[in-house]
């Protein structure tokens, strides 16, 4: 492996540990999620120029006007997604740089990820291959449609905010499956959890958040 994939030695381990204790202080309790954050090298997913900030709890630019989510938000969404009953196949909408994908892939059996910007998807796939992550399937498409052929999913996680709930994503949930999704506009967004039951859908709200908008079409 090239040097960049090995991190910058002790400093890197120390800064990762500091990030993990910060997330714990902020209320992330699932040790499996904290382990995943500790082990996935976030600096691989950001521009080399931003390497030194990779383990700060901040969102950073990844090109094409998009951002890598703040680690706290990745941890919160992952913790919510993998809570019991633990999912085995998960659909992710908004691959971006692939960091959330890598964290999820270390915790569940299969991840199906959809990104509307081809260049981002290609780069994410390349990074995950280099990290030898082999339980992820990739699709260049508008995630509003989900990925019906591979469903139903035990969980769906969306990392861009639509104004309204995309019906197709609810339809592709298995019974007892959950959809974790930010909903709102550029002024106000809420991280929501929808759980599919035999008879309908239950809705809960987790936190106020700030994501890039979920757009339509591909580019
Ligand atoms: N989890 C990502 C977050 C990236 S930001 C990361 O950690 O890097 C949100 C991503 O959602 C962007 O890459 C954006 O292009 C993508 N996106 C927005 N609307 C989408 C849609 N309709 N279908 C698929 N991806 C979409």
């Amino acid at each position: 492996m090239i040097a960049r994939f090995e991190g910058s030695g002790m400093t890197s381990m120390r800064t990762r540990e500091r990030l993990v204790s910060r997330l714990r202080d902020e209320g992330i309790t699932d040790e499996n999620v904290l382990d995943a954050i500790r082990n996935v090298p976030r600096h691989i997913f950001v521009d080399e120029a931003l390497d030194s900030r990779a383990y700060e709890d901040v969102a950073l630019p990844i090109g094409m006007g998009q951002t890598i989510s703040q680690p706290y938000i990745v941890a919160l969404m992952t913790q919510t997604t993998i809570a019991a009953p633990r999912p085995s196949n998960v659909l992710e909408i908004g691959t971006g740089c692939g960091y959330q994908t890598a964290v999820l892939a270390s915790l569940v059996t299969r991840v199906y990820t959809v990104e509307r910007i081809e260049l981002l998807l290609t780069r994410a796939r390349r990074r995950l291959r280099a990290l030898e992550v082999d339980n992820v399937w990739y699709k260049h498409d508008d995630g509003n449609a989900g990925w019906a052929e591979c469903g139903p999913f035990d969980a769906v996680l969306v990392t861009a905010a639509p104004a309204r709930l995309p019906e197709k994503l609810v339809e592709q949930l298995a019974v007892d499956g959950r959809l974790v999704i930010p909903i709102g506009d550029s002024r106000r967004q809420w991280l929501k959890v929808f759980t599919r039951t035999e008879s309908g859908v239950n809705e809960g709200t987790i936190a106020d958040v700030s994501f890039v908008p979920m757009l339509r079409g591909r580019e």
Side-chain angles (χ1 to χ4, degrees):
M1 278 216 192
I2 55 172
R4 192 157 180 251
F5 279 75
E6 286 160 6
S8 341
M10 287 308 291
T11 317
S12 168
M13 276 327 287
R14 235 184 355 251
T15 48
R16 288 192 208 189
E17 233 17 271
R18 199 178 304 137
L19 172 61
V20 166
S21 30
R22 181 176 165 146
L23 298 181
R24 200 177 265 125
D25 291 347
E26 285 176 324
I28 304 300
T29 51
D30 187 323
E31 290 298 327
N32 294 315
V33 173
L34 293 169
D35 278 347
I37 299 272
R38 182 183 292 111
N39 295 330
V40 175
R42 192 168 183 256
H43 65 277
I44 297 301
F45 295 85
V46 300
D47 279 353
E48 230 162 319
L50 294 167
D51 262 22
S52 64
R53 306 197 59 199
Y55 299 97
E56 290 176 22
D57 192 18
V58 291
L60 294 168
I62 56 170
M64 310 293 289
Q66 306 302 317
T67 52
I68 178 172
S69 305
Q70 183 194 351
Y72 171 69
I73 293 295
V74 173
L76 181 65
M77 289 184 89
T78 308
Q79 177 168 280
T80 309
T81 303
I82 70 159
R86 181 115 167 199
S88 68
N89 69 330
V90 178
L91 172 67
E92 177 193 50
I93 306 298
T95 319
C97 67
Y99 175 68
Q100 168 80 75
T101 321
V103 169
L104 257 186
S106 71
L107 294 163
V108 303
T109 313
R110 285 178 301 278
V111 178
Y112 297 86
T113 188
V114 182
E115 169 60 56
R116 63 179 290 280
I117 301 179
E118 190 165 22
L119 183 63
L120 292 180
L121 189 69
T122 307
R123 287 182 183 157
R125 183 192 271 134
R126 200 181 300 142
R127 287 188 186 103
L128 291 174
R129 286 229 176 104
L131 292 171
E132 294 171 358
V133 176
D134 59 7
N135 57 337
V136 177
W137 283 260
Y138 304 85
K139 189 180 194 193
H140 175 220
D141 206 353
D142 179 343
N144 281 290
W147 194 341
E149 305 87 313
C150 297
F153 301 97
D154 302 326
V156 178
L157 181 158
V158 184
T159 69
R164 270 176 303 282
L165 179 63
E167 287 302 326
K168 288 268 191 315
L169 300 183
V170 181
E171 287 167 16
Q172 290 171 29
L173 277 181
V175 172
D176 290 333
R178 65 173 73 89
L179 165 62
V180 181
I181 182 169
I183 294 189
D185 55 28
S186 57
R187 285 164 299 141
R188 208 82 223 251
Q189 292 171 13
W190 297 100
L191 186 59
K192 300 257 185 190
V193 188
F194 296 88
T195 310
R196 182 155 189 178
T197 65
E198 294 283 359
S199 54
V201 177
N202 295 335
E203 176 179 343
T205 300
I206 301 182
D208 60 335
V209 288
S210 176
F211 279 82
V212 297
M214 185 161 174
L215 302 175
R216 298 209 161 260
R218 298 192 284 176
E219 56 180 272

